[in-house]
Amino acid sequence: MQAMKILIYGAGAVGLGLASCLMKTGNAVDVVGRAATVEALRRYGLTRTGLFGDFHAPPSAFGAVASLTELKGSTYDFTLVCTKSFDTASAAQDLASAAFINNARTPFVLCQNGWGNSEIFAQHFPEERVKSARVITGFTRPEPHHVDITVHADTMHIGSLFDDAVDSLQALSDAIDGGGLPCAVTKTVGRDLWAKMLYNCMLNGLSTLFDVPYGLLGESPDTRRLMDAIAREVFAVMQAAEYRTHWESADGYLDTFYKKQLPATYRHIPSMLQDLRAGKRTEIDALNGAVMKLGEQHRIPVPHNTQVYHLIRFAEAKRNLKA
Ligand SMILES: NC(=O)C1=CN([C@@H]2O[C@H](COP(=O)(O)OP(=O)(O)OC[C@H]3O[C@@H](n4cnc5c(N)ncnc54)[C@H](OP(=O)(O)O)[C@@H]3O)[C@@H](O)[C@H]2O)C=CC1
Ligand SMILES: CC(C)(CO)C(=O)C(=O)O
């Protein structure tokens, strides 16, 4: 396999997890992160633990920068965008304002949860450069230079929402896969992203509101009813917007969800709850919020998604409210 040069934008849990896989297979990696993260990576290197094996890259094995200007003139085979979805717009603007990135033909692989990330990138770059990944593996970053892989539900899938020209992604997929994280190229990544939307819209908000791991929501008929209703609404807007997933009906999806997906991530504390506990912003806008937007556009009522959205927004806001 020929070594590639890869830029990772966003040195958080997913960014560092993917960086570890790519370095493990001998690729040259530069990561763009915040100053404190970059300082830790430059001092300690990058350590990965958990599922798929331990790995350490010394500081000299990769580049870590706090600004794209430090990479001026570099060329890359791929750029992986690994920020949260609420940072997608600023990431796209930053990358577009760097001439050496903007003028290159390097594809961007958007690794975020939620719906709408590709459309944002497509406002700045030609559609053929915008690719998407569905990640359904759990990564945490206990220290700025340490990523722990905690849960794995399915193979990472990479593809495009805009065209079928996905063969060029094979080398990237092989490199991630060889580095430990199962990965494959797909022509139907849109279906994967909607399956992930269903999963995250059903689980993340409710788990966060009740402060429980995913699995407990499946144990009660009350929370099952809520999750089923959320899934039916997501399904309805997805179909109205002329997207598809791997199941023809919400019932078909729910069967797989309860039998396969939920057991595989039973003990998982959702990223949304982790964010709220850490006093950070959540990705609710790109999840249940995106369902609300599509619901409005297509005049489909989505009351359950709307309630989850507003309750999470209040949970975020209440930190700053005084009695
Ligand atoms: N973690 C997981 O298990 C999974 C996550 N995902 C999705 O992947 C995406 C990334 O998640 P995750 O890695 O957990 O998130 P993190 O918050 O851990 O990582 C995102 C990182 O990007 C940094 N960042 C944002 N904007 C910039 C910028 N302009 N310049 C430099 N650094 C920047 C953030 O810094 P700062 O925090 O300082 O702003 C943060 O360190 C999300 O959409 C998430 O939903 C999908 C599947 C699993
Ligand atoms: C379960 C997981 C990690 C799968 O990607 C997830 O989607 C989340 O915590 O939000």
Side-chain angles (χ1 to χ4, degrees):
M1 206 188 292
Q2 210 188 335
M4 295 177 290
K5 197 160 175 208
I6 293 162
L7 178 63
I8 302 223
Y9 192 96
V14 169
L16 294 184
L18 294 175
S20 75
C21 294
L22 292 163
M23 283 193 253
K24 205 170 171 198
T25 37
N27 298 287
V29 171
D30 285 336
V31 300
V32 182
R34 303 286 189 200
T37 306
V38 167
E39 198 185 312
L41 290 168
R42 285 180 177 173
R43 180 177 298 190
Y44 303 111
L46 168 59
T47 297
R48 174 177 106 194
T49 52
L51 303 178
F52 310 128
D54 294 356
F55 174 76
H56 179 74
S60 57
F62 63 101
V65 300
S67 161
L68 287 173
T69 53
E70 295 178 59
L71 300 171
K72 212 168 172 183
S74 300
T75 54
Y76 296 95
D77 295 291
F78 293 98
T79 294
L80 308 191
V81 180
C82 300
T83 64
K84 294 278 195 185
S85 51
F86 48 75
D87 282 324
T88 301
S90 61
Q93 270 157 20
D94 189 26
L95 288 159
S97 67
F100 75 101
I101 299 273
N102 198 18
N103 300 333
R105 292 168 67 182
T106 314
F108 299 98
V109 180
L110 311 183
C111 300
Q112 292 109 328
N113 273 344
W115 189 256
N117 299 298
S118 298
E119 287 78 355
I120 293 172
F121 260 71
Q123 287 164 14
H124 296 272
F125 301 101
E127 286 179 354
E128 64 269 17
R129 286 182 70 184
V130 182
K131 313 291 181 189
S132 300
R134 186 285 312 262
V135 182
I136 193 156
T137 301
F139 301 82
T140 61
R141 204 190 64 171
E143 293 171 284
H145 59 286
H146 173 193
V147 57
D148 191 33
I149 306 185
T150 54
V151 67
H152 177 68
D154 204 354
T155 303
M156 175 172 170
H157 278 177
I158 315 179
S160 165
L161 285 178
F162 299 110
D163 57 45
D164 277 353
V166 293
D167 292 350
S168 58
L169 297 170
Q170 194 59 52
L172 176 67
S173 172
D174 290 346
I176 293 172
D177 193 81
L181 180 67
C183 187
V185 172
T186 176
K187 287 194 172 169
T188 55
V189 77
R191 293 184 188 207
D192 294 326
L193 291 178
W194 275 104
K196 188 86 202 289
M197 275 290 281
L198 281 154
Y199 174 91
N200 285 131
C201 290
M202 289 164 73
L203 288 170
N204 285 27
L206 293 179
S207 266
T208 301
L209 290 167
F210 295 115
D211 205 331
V212 293
Y214 281 162
L216 285 197
L217 297 175
E219 300 294 344
S220 147
D222 298 302
T223 39
R224 274 185 178 238
R225 275 185 75 164
L226 285 174
M227 288 194 291
D228 292 357
I230 291 170
R232 290 186 211 294
E233 292 174 6
V234 176
F235 226 88
V237 297
M238 175 194 77
Q239 285 180 324
E242 298 185 359
Y243 294 109
R244 295 182 67 184
T245 187
H246 300 290
W247 299 265
E248 289 304 323
S249 68
D251 285 332
Y253 172 70
L254 287 169
D255 191 52
T256 306
F257 172 80
Y258 286 116
K259 286 193 182 136
K260 270 184 72 184
Q261 295 182 335
L262 193 54
T265 48
Y266 193 94
R267 293 181 196 289
H268 181 65
I269 300 289
S271 53
M272 190 173 284
L273 178 50
Q274 293 177 39
D275 289 340
L276 200 76
R277 283 178 179 168
K280 294 183 181 167
R281 184 175 167 186
T282 75
E283 293 186 292
I284 196 73
D285 281 316
L287 297 171
N288 308 78
V291 173
M292 286 164 65
K293 252 195 202 157
L294 285 175
E296 260 169 46
Q297 273 167 30
H298 298 279
R299 295 173 192 277
I300 293 184
V302 291
H304 294 85
N305 281 275
T306 304
Q307 290 213 9
V308 168
Y309 175 84
H310 287 299
L311 289 168
I312 291 292
R313 289 304 299 265
F314 180 70
E316 287 175 335
K318 85 172 187 226
R319 297 185 287 233
N320 305 319
L321 299 177
K322 291 206 177 77

